Amino acid sequence: MTKTNSMSGKPAEGDGDPRTASPLADRMRPLVMDEVVGQQHLFGDGGPLGRFDKGGRPASTIFWGPPGSGKTTIARITASQTGQNFVQVSAVYSNTAEIRKIIAEARKQREEGVGTILFVDEIHRFNKAQQDGFLPYIEDGTVTLIGATTENPSFALNAALMSRTRVLVLEALDRQSLETLLGRAEGVVGKLPLTDGAREFLIDLANGDARSLLNSVEQLASAGSGDALDRRQLEKRLSRRAALYDKSGDWHYNLISALHKSVRGSDPDAALYWLARMLEAGEDPQYLARRLTRMAIEDIGLADPDAVRLCLAAWQGHERLGSPEGDLALAEAAIYLALAPKSNAAYAAYREASGAARRSGAEPPPKHILNAPTGMMKEMGYGSGYRYDHDEPLAFSGQDYFPEGYGRRVFYRPVERGFEREMKKRSEYFARLRRKLGKEPGGG
């Protein structure tokens, strides 16, 4: 196999033993910005990663993006273009002592007129104290820090470090970029024996990850040529599916948010898509059942009281059937929720009531609705004037049940959708009775 040193497939000096050569993804790493595929929003006109002159000084930066989007490559090229030393460490393996040695060496290099770019992979794995340790060296220019993370910096990095760096978002490579990359790789390893459908599937399998695609290409190339593989044969040959997301990371929260918003937006097809994406990625079905039940409570509410019952039945059905049979129960729940009438009136009412309760938590209930099991409590007025609603006309007394002097409040405002139309009629009916009895503002 020909050894390369760039995305262009340009041969490197000497051809090593394929058994000891570095991986294809490393050998095809771009050496200049023009060879980088994707991330045009960073390199286009006026983009933050334009060309740097020799001796230029880029800003300390956090690259936030999915695996295989080019974070390490762009950092290396930035160092090369500016003529600075490039030092790479991983927050998984490095410690404070190692960082101190790197800083000491960077100071010596700086005295000799050479800057240092310190690239920290998976920087989110450093704790707060370790992150704070970079601050003085960023401020005095000892190093230019470039951190790479797959986690949202807003949560993964502390505010002090965020204030001294800029955050640039890298995107998963789109299909066109992956096709370009595949073509370049085949220029090195030779045309892959794949049907058109299998080539499409190979692109899908990469899931926007350049490294994943090149690793697959190398695996196929090492197996030798033969009859063209179709999609099923390719999947068997590679013996894997794409790892769609880390269940503890941003993808986990992004996809459940997409599912929730699709349900709220009454789009059953999008809801099914995101549900399937999560199940295919190995998400815990019990977590999905719990979140679907939450959607039924929060977004459908009393507009369709059957929604939460159906979700609980789907949850129980999955517990008994397991996957894949039980997955259909979750799919049916997602469809039902998406097409159900929507109301967050009960959700909003409880939030408003909770706020009122926090503000008036010391107020006791009115005495007339308190029980009086002792003589002393009766003398104090407990239960005095209480009217038993079942003994009243229409089984309604219209008494005030809020704290004395607090006044009546309205928290629940039902909407004109689904079953909540009936709830609104009932609310208005009792409000009219209160006014008739003079128990509500506006009554006689």
Side-chain angles (χ1 to χ4, degrees), residues 99-148:
I99 299 298
R100 287 194 185 122
K101 291 180 182 178
I102 292 170
I103 295 298
E105 181 61 28
R107 280 178 172 157
K108 293 180 184 178
Q109 294 291 325
R110 188 183 180 197
E111 292 173 359
E112 297 173 5
V114 180
T116 297
I117 286 182
L118 173 57
F119 177 73
V120 181
D121 197 16
E122 299 194 80
I123 192 170
H124 60 276
R125 293 184 180 270
F126 275 146
N127 61 36
K128 183 180 185 300
Q130 290 171 313
Q131 292 178 29
D132 284 342
F134 292 114
L135 303 182
Y137 310 115
I138 295 173
E139 291 174 348
D140 69 11
T142 300
V143 296
T144 296
L145 176 69
I146 298 182

Short mmCIF file of all heavy atoms in Angstrom, two decimals, residues 99-148:
data_model
loop_
_atom_site.label_atom_id
_atom_site.label_comp_id
_atom_site.label_asym_id
_atom_site.label_seq_id
_atom_site.Cartn_x
_atom_site.Cartn_y
_atom_site.Cartn_z
N ILE A 99 1.89 18.79 32.03
CA ILE A 99 1.56 20.11 31.50
C ILE A 99 2.61 21.13 31.94
O ILE A 99 3.02 22.00 31.17
CB ILE A 99 0.15 20.54 31.95
CG1 ILE A 99 -0.91 19.56 31.42
CG2 ILE A 99 -0.15 21.96 31.48
CD1 ILE A 99 -1.00 19.48 29.91
N ARG A 100 3.07 21.04 33.19
CA ARG A 100 4.09 21.97 33.68
C ARG A 100 5.38 21.87 32.86
O ARG A 100 6.02 22.88 32.56
CB ARG A 100 4.39 21.68 35.15
CG ARG A 100 3.28 22.11 36.11
CD ARG A 100 3.79 22.09 37.54
NE ARG A 100 2.71 22.40 38.48
CZ ARG A 100 2.32 21.61 39.46
NH1 ARG A 100 2.93 20.43 39.65
NH2 ARG A 100 1.35 21.96 40.28
N LYS A 101 5.77 20.65 32.52
CA LYS A 101 6.98 20.47 31.70
C LYS A 101 6.79 21.12 30.33
O LYS A 101 7.71 21.75 29.79
CB LYS A 101 7.28 18.98 31.54
CG LYS A 101 7.74 18.30 32.81
CD LYS A 101 8.02 16.82 32.58
CE LYS A 101 8.44 16.12 33.86
NZ LYS A 101 8.67 14.66 33.65
N ILE A 102 5.60 20.94 29.76
CA ILE A 102 5.33 21.52 28.44
C ILE A 102 5.37 23.04 28.53
O ILE A 102 5.92 23.72 27.64
CB ILE A 102 3.95 21.04 27.93
CG1 ILE A 102 4.00 19.54 27.63
CG2 ILE A 102 3.53 21.83 26.70
CD1 ILE A 102 2.65 18.93 27.35
N ILE A 103 4.81 23.61 29.59
CA ILE A 103 4.82 25.07 29.76
C ILE A 103 6.25 25.58 29.90
O ILE A 103 6.63 26.62 29.33
CB ILE A 103 3.98 25.47 30.99
CG1 ILE A 103 2.50 25.14 30.78
CG2 ILE A 103 4.16 26.95 31.31
CD1 ILE A 103 1.85 25.87 29.63
N ALA A 104 7.07 24.85 30.68
CA ALA A 104 8.47 25.27 30.86
C ALA A 104 9.21 25.27 29.53
O ALA A 104 9.99 26.20 29.23
CB ALA A 104 9.17 24.34 31.87
N GLU A 105 8.98 24.25 28.72
CA GLU A 105 9.63 24.20 27.41
C GLU A 105 9.11 25.30 26.50
O GLU A 105 9.87 25.90 25.71
CB GLU A 105 9.39 22.83 26.77
CG GLU A 105 10.03 22.63 25.42
CD GLU A 105 11.54 22.76 25.44
OE1 GLU A 105 12.16 22.48 26.49
OE2 GLU A 105 12.11 23.14 24.39
N ALA A 106 7.81 25.58 26.59
CA ALA A 106 7.24 26.65 25.77
C ALA A 106 7.84 28.00 26.11
O ALA A 106 8.04 28.85 25.22
CB ALA A 106 5.71 26.68 25.96
N ARG A 107 8.16 28.22 27.38
CA ARG A 107 8.79 29.48 27.79
C ARG A 107 10.17 29.61 27.15
O ARG A 107 10.55 30.69 26.68
CB ARG A 107 8.91 29.53 29.32
CG ARG A 107 7.62 29.93 30.01
CD ARG A 107 7.78 29.91 31.50
NE ARG A 107 6.62 30.47 32.18
CZ ARG A 107 6.28 30.21 33.43
NH1 ARG A 107 7.02 29.35 34.13
NH2 ARG A 107 5.22 30.76 33.97
N LYS A 108 10.93 28.51 27.15
CA LYS A 108 12.26 28.54 26.51
C LYS A 108 12.14 28.84 25.03
O LYS A 108 12.89 29.66 24.48
CB LYS A 108 12.96 27.20 26.71
CG LYS A 108 13.34 26.88 28.15
CD LYS A 108 14.01 25.52 28.23
CE LYS A 108 14.32 25.14 29.66
NZ LYS A 108 14.93 23.79 29.76
N GLN A 109 11.18 28.19 24.37
CA GLN A 109 10.97 28.41 22.94
C GLN A 109 10.56 29.85 22.66
O GLN A 109 10.97 30.46 21.68
CB GLN A 109 9.90 27.46 22.41
CG GLN A 109 10.28 25.99 22.45
CD GLN A 109 11.38 25.67 21.45
OE1 GLN A 109 11.44 26.24 20.37
NE2 GLN A 109 12.26 24.75 21.83
N ARG A 110 9.76 30.41 23.56
CA ARG A 110 9.30 31.78 23.38
C ARG A 110 10.47 32.75 23.45
O ARG A 110 10.53 33.74 22.71
CB ARG A 110 8.25 32.11 24.46
CG ARG A 110 7.58 33.45 24.25
CD ARG A 110 6.62 33.72 25.39
NE ARG A 110 5.95 34.99 25.25
CZ ARG A 110 5.33 35.63 26.22
NH1 ARG A 110 5.29 35.09 27.43
NH2 ARG A 110 4.73 36.78 26.00
N GLU A 111 11.41 32.49 24.37
CA GLU A 111 12.61 33.34 24.47
C GLU A 111 13.44 33.30 23.20
O GLU A 111 14.15 34.25 22.88
CB GLU A 111 13.45 32.90 25.68
CG GLU A 111 12.78 33.19 27.02
CD GLU A 111 13.54 32.58 28.18
OE1 GLU A 111 14.58 31.92 27.92
OE2 GLU A 111 13.11 32.76 29.34
N GLU A 112 13.33 32.20 22.47
CA GLU A 112 14.05 32.06 21.21
C GLU A 112 13.23 32.54 20.01
O GLU A 112 13.61 32.35 18.86
CB GLU A 112 14.45 30.60 21.02
CG GLU A 112 15.41 30.09 22.10
CD GLU A 112 15.67 28.60 21.99
OE1 GLU A 112 15.17 27.99 21.01
OE2 GLU A 112 16.35 28.05 22.87
N GLY A 113 12.05 33.10 20.31
CA GLY A 113 11.23 33.67 19.25
C GLY A 113 10.29 32.70 18.57
O GLY A 113 9.77 33.00 17.49
N VAL A 114 10.03 31.55 19.20
CA VAL A 114 9.14 30.56 18.61
C VAL A 114 7.95 30.33 19.54
O VAL A 114 8.14 30.05 20.73
CB VAL A 114 9.87 29.21 18.36
CG1 VAL A 114 8.91 28.19 17.75
CG2 VAL A 114 11.07 29.42 17.46
N GLY A 115 6.76 30.47 19.00
CA GLY A 115 5.56 30.25 19.80
C GLY A 115 5.19 28.78 19.87
O GLY A 115 5.71 27.94 19.13
N THR A 116 4.27 28.47 20.76
CA THR A 116 3.82 27.09 20.95
C THR A 116 2.30 27.03 20.94
O THR A 116 1.63 27.81 21.63
CB THR A 116 4.32 26.52 22.30
OG1 THR A 116 5.75 26.48 22.29
CG2 THR A 116 3.77 25.11 22.53
N ILE A 117 1.79 26.14 20.13
CA ILE A 117 0.37 25.81 20.18
C ILE A 117 0.24 24.52 20.97
O ILE A 117 0.79 23.49 20.60
CB ILE A 117 -0.22 25.65 18.77
CG1 ILE A 117 -0.38 27.02 18.12
CG2 ILE A 117 -1.58 24.94 18.83
CD1 ILE A 117 -1.01 26.99 16.74
N LEU A 118 -0.47 24.61 22.09
CA LEU A 118 -0.72 23.43 22.92
C LEU A 118 -2.12 22.93 22.59
O LEU A 118 -3.12 23.59 22.87
CB LEU A 118 -0.62 23.79 24.40
CG LEU A 118 -1.01 22.70 25.40
CD1 LEU A 118 -0.17 21.44 25.19
CD2 LEU A 118 -0.86 23.21 26.84
N PHE A 119 -2.16 21.75 22.00
CA PHE A 119 -3.44 21.15 21.62
C PHE A 119 -3.83 20.12 22.67
O PHE A 119 -3.09 19.15 22.91
CB PHE A 119 -3.33 20.50 20.24
CG PHE A 119 -4.59 19.81 19.80
CD1 PHE A 119 -5.69 20.53 19.40
CD2 PHE A 119 -4.67 18.42 19.79
CE1 PHE A 119 -6.86 19.90 18.99
CE2 PHE A 119 -5.83 17.77 19.39
CZ PHE A 119 -6.93 18.52 18.99
N VAL A 120 -4.98 20.32 23.30
CA VAL A 120 -5.46 19.42 24.35
C VAL A 120 -6.69 18.70 23.83
O VAL A 120 -7.77 19.31 23.70
CB VAL A 120 -5.78 20.18 25.65
CG1 VAL A 120 -6.24 19.19 26.72
CG2 VAL A 120 -4.57 20.97 26.12
N ASP A 121 -6.54 17.43 23.53
CA ASP A 121 -7.67 16.63 23.05
C ASP A 121 -8.53 16.23 24.24
O ASP A 121 -8.02 15.96 25.34
CB ASP A 121 -7.14 15.38 22.34
CG ASP A 121 -8.20 14.72 21.48
OD1 ASP A 121 -9.23 15.37 21.20
OD2 ASP A 121 -8.00 13.56 21.08
N GLU A 122 -9.85 16.22 24.01
CA GLU A 122 -10.83 15.88 25.07
C GLU A 122 -10.63 16.75 26.31
O GLU A 122 -10.62 16.26 27.44
CB GLU A 122 -10.76 14.40 25.42
CG GLU A 122 -11.07 13.49 24.23
CD GLU A 122 -11.33 12.06 24.65
OE1 GLU A 122 -12.44 11.77 25.11
OE2 GLU A 122 -10.41 11.25 24.50
N ILE A 123 -10.49 18.04 26.08
CA ILE A 123 -10.17 18.98 27.17
C ILE A 123 -11.25 18.97 28.24
O ILE A 123 -10.99 19.31 29.40
CB ILE A 123 -9.96 20.40 26.60
CG1 ILE A 123 -9.35 21.31 27.68
CG2 ILE A 123 -11.25 20.96 26.02
CD1 ILE A 123 -8.89 22.65 27.14
N HIS A 124 -12.46 18.56 27.89
CA HIS A 124 -13.54 18.52 28.87
C HIS A 124 -13.28 17.53 30.00
O HIS A 124 -13.94 17.59 31.05
CB HIS A 124 -14.87 18.18 28.20
CG HIS A 124 -14.86 16.85 27.50
ND1 HIS A 124 -14.38 16.69 26.22
CD2 HIS A 124 -15.25 15.61 27.91
CE1 HIS A 124 -14.50 15.41 25.87
NE2 HIS A 124 -15.03 14.74 26.87
N ARG A 125 -12.32 16.62 29.80
CA ARG A 125 -12.03 15.63 30.84
C ARG A 125 -11.14 16.19 31.95
O ARG A 125 -10.96 15.55 32.98
CB ARG A 125 -11.40 14.39 30.23
CG ARG A 125 -12.35 13.61 29.32
CD ARG A 125 -11.70 12.34 28.81
NE ARG A 125 -12.59 11.60 27.94
CZ ARG A 125 -13.44 10.67 28.34
NH1 ARG A 125 -13.53 10.38 29.64
NH2 ARG A 125 -14.22 10.03 27.49
N PHE A 126 -10.54 17.37 31.73
CA PHE A 126 -9.81 18.03 32.81
C PHE A 126 -10.80 18.62 33.80
O PHE A 126 -11.83 19.18 33.41
CB PHE A 126 -8.91 19.13 32.27
CG PHE A 126 -7.56 18.67 31.78
CD1 PHE A 126 -6.96 19.29 30.70
CD2 PHE A 126 -6.90 17.63 32.39
CE1 PHE A 126 -5.72 18.89 30.24
CE2 PHE A 126 -5.65 17.20 31.95
CZ PHE A 126 -5.06 17.83 30.87
N ASN A 127 -10.49 18.52 35.09
CA ASN A 127 -11.37 19.09 36.10
C ASN A 127 -11.19 20.61 36.16
O ASN A 127 -10.34 21.18 35.48
CB ASN A 127 -11.16 18.44 37.47
CG ASN A 127 -9.74 18.63 38.00
OD1 ASN A 127 -9.13 19.67 37.79
ND2 ASN A 127 -9.22 17.62 38.69
N LYS A 128 -11.97 21.27 37.01
CA LYS A 128 -11.96 22.73 37.06
C LYS A 128 -10.58 23.26 37.42
O LYS A 128 -10.10 24.23 36.83
CB LYS A 128 -12.99 23.22 38.09
CG LYS A 128 -13.10 24.73 38.17
CD LYS A 128 -14.13 25.15 39.21
CE LYS A 128 -14.32 26.67 39.21
NZ LYS A 128 -13.07 27.39 39.53
N ALA A 129 -9.94 22.65 38.40
CA ALA A 129 -8.61 23.12 38.82
C ALA A 129 -7.60 22.99 37.68
O ALA A 129 -6.77 23.87 37.46
CB ALA A 129 -8.14 22.35 40.04
N GLN A 130 -7.66 21.87 36.96
CA GLN A 130 -6.74 21.67 35.84
C GLN A 130 -7.02 22.67 34.72
O GLN A 130 -6.09 23.19 34.10
CB GLN A 130 -6.86 20.24 35.32
CG GLN A 130 -6.30 19.20 36.27
CD GLN A 130 -6.64 17.78 35.82
OE1 GLN A 130 -7.78 17.48 35.48
NE2 GLN A 130 -5.64 16.91 35.84
N GLN A 131 -8.29 22.95 34.46
CA GLN A 131 -8.62 23.95 33.46
C GLN A 131 -8.12 25.33 33.88
O GLN A 131 -7.57 26.08 33.06
CB GLN A 131 -10.13 23.99 33.22
CG GLN A 131 -10.69 22.74 32.56
CD GLN A 131 -12.19 22.80 32.39
OE1 GLN A 131 -12.76 23.87 32.25
NE2 GLN A 131 -12.83 21.64 32.40
N ASP A 132 -8.28 25.67 35.15
CA ASP A 132 -7.79 26.96 35.65
C ASP A 132 -6.28 27.08 35.52
O ASP A 132 -5.75 28.20 35.38
CB ASP A 132 -8.18 27.13 37.13
CG ASP A 132 -9.64 27.48 37.31
OD1 ASP A 132 -10.28 27.91 36.33
OD2 ASP A 132 -10.16 27.31 38.43
N GLY A 133 -5.59 25.95 35.53
CA GLY A 133 -4.14 25.98 35.43
C GLY A 133 -3.63 26.55 34.11
O GLY A 133 -2.48 27.03 34.04
N PHE A 134 -4.46 26.53 33.07
CA PHE A 134 -4.03 27.08 31.78
C PHE A 134 -4.12 28.60 31.73
O PHE A 134 -3.47 29.24 30.90
CB PHE A 134 -4.90 26.51 30.64
CG PHE A 134 -4.71 25.06 30.38
CD1 PHE A 134 -5.73 24.16 30.62
CD2 PHE A 134 -3.50 24.58 29.90
CE1 PHE A 134 -5.56 22.80 30.37
CE2 PHE A 134 -3.31 23.22 29.65
CZ PHE A 134 -4.35 22.33 29.90
N LEU A 135 -4.92 29.19 32.59
CA LEU A 135 -5.28 30.60 32.45
C LEU A 135 -4.09 31.56 32.40
O LEU A 135 -4.00 32.39 31.49
CB LEU A 135 -6.26 31.00 33.56
CG LEU A 135 -7.55 30.19 33.65
CD1 LEU A 135 -8.44 30.72 34.76
CD2 LEU A 135 -8.29 30.21 32.32
N PRO A 136 -3.15 31.48 33.36
CA PRO A 136 -2.05 32.46 33.32
C PRO A 136 -1.18 32.33 32.07
O PRO A 136 -0.64 33.33 31.59
CB PRO A 136 -1.26 32.16 34.59
CG PRO A 136 -1.65 30.78 35.00
CD PRO A 136 -3.06 30.61 34.55
N TYR A 137 -1.06 31.13 31.54
CA TYR A 137 -0.19 30.92 30.38
C TYR A 137 -0.87 31.33 29.07
O TYR A 137 -0.20 31.67 28.10
CB TYR A 137 0.26 29.47 30.34
CG TYR A 137 0.81 29.02 31.67
CD1 TYR A 137 0.16 28.03 32.42
CD2 TYR A 137 1.94 29.62 32.22
CE1 TYR A 137 0.64 27.65 33.67
CE2 TYR A 137 2.43 29.24 33.46
CZ TYR A 137 1.77 28.26 34.18
OH TYR A 137 2.24 27.91 35.42
N ILE A 138 -2.18 31.30 29.07
CA ILE A 138 -2.92 31.87 27.94
C ILE A 138 -2.80 33.39 27.98
O ILE A 138 -2.55 34.05 26.97
CB ILE A 138 -4.41 31.45 27.99
CG1 ILE A 138 -4.55 29.95 27.82
CG2 ILE A 138 -5.20 32.18 26.92
CD1 ILE A 138 -5.98 29.45 28.02
N GLU A 139 -2.97 33.96 29.18
CA GLU A 139 -2.97 35.40 29.33
C GLU A 139 -1.61 36.03 29.01
O GLU A 139 -1.55 37.10 28.40
CB GLU A 139 -3.40 35.78 30.75
CG GLU A 139 -4.86 35.48 31.04
CD GLU A 139 -5.23 35.72 32.49
OE1 GLU A 139 -4.30 35.91 33.31
OE2 GLU A 139 -6.44 35.73 32.81
N ASP A 140 -0.51 35.37 29.43
CA ASP A 140 0.81 35.98 29.17
C ASP A 140 1.41 35.54 27.85
O ASP A 140 2.52 35.94 27.50
CB ASP A 140 1.77 35.69 30.33
CG ASP A 140 2.19 34.23 30.44
OD1 ASP A 140 1.91 33.43 29.53
OD2 ASP A 140 2.81 33.86 31.47
N GLY A 141 0.69 34.71 27.09
CA GLY A 141 1.14 34.34 25.76
C GLY A 141 2.16 33.22 25.71
O GLY A 141 2.76 32.98 24.66
N THR A 142 2.36 32.54 26.84
CA THR A 142 3.31 31.42 26.82
C THR A 142 2.87 30.37 25.81
O THR A 142 3.70 29.81 25.08
CB THR A 142 3.42 30.79 28.22
OG1 THR A 142 3.86 31.78 29.15
CG2 THR A 142 4.39 29.63 28.22
N VAL A 143 1.59 30.09 25.76
CA VAL A 143 1.06 29.14 24.79
C VAL A 143 -0.21 29.71 24.18
O VAL A 143 -0.90 30.55 24.78
CB VAL A 143 0.74 27.76 25.43
CG1 VAL A 143 1.99 27.09 25.95
CG2 VAL A 143 -0.33 27.89 26.51
N THR A 144 -0.51 29.24 22.98
CA THR A 144 -1.84 29.40 22.41
C THR A 144 -2.54 28.06 22.63
O THR A 144 -2.07 27.03 22.16
CB THR A 144 -1.78 29.72 20.91
OG1 THR A 144 -1.15 30.98 20.72
CG2 THR A 144 -3.18 29.75 20.31
N LEU A 145 -3.62 28.09 23.37
CA LEU A 145 -4.33 26.85 23.70
C LEU A 145 -5.38 26.56 22.64
O LEU A 145 -6.19 27.43 22.29
CB LEU A 145 -5.01 26.97 25.06
CG LEU A 145 -5.86 25.77 25.49
CD1 LEU A 145 -4.98 24.56 25.78
CD2 LEU A 145 -6.72 26.11 26.70
N ILE A 146 -5.35 25.36 22.11
CA ILE A 146 -6.44 24.87 21.26
C ILE A 146 -6.95 23.59 21.90
O ILE A 146 -6.24 22.60 22.02
CB ILE A 146 -5.98 24.61 19.82
CG1 ILE A 146 -5.50 25.90 19.17
CG2 ILE A 146 -7.14 24.01 19.01
CD1 ILE A 146 -5.09 25.74 17.71
N GLY A 147 -8.18 23.64 22.36
CA GLY A 147 -8.80 22.48 22.98
C GLY A 147 -9.80 21.85 22.05
O GLY A 147 -10.45 22.54 21.25
N ALA A 148 -9.93 20.55 22.12
CA ALA A 148 -10.91 19.82 21.31
C ALA A 148 -11.87 19.09 22.24
O ALA A 148 -11.44 18.47 23.21
CB ALA A 148 -10.22 18.83 20.37
#
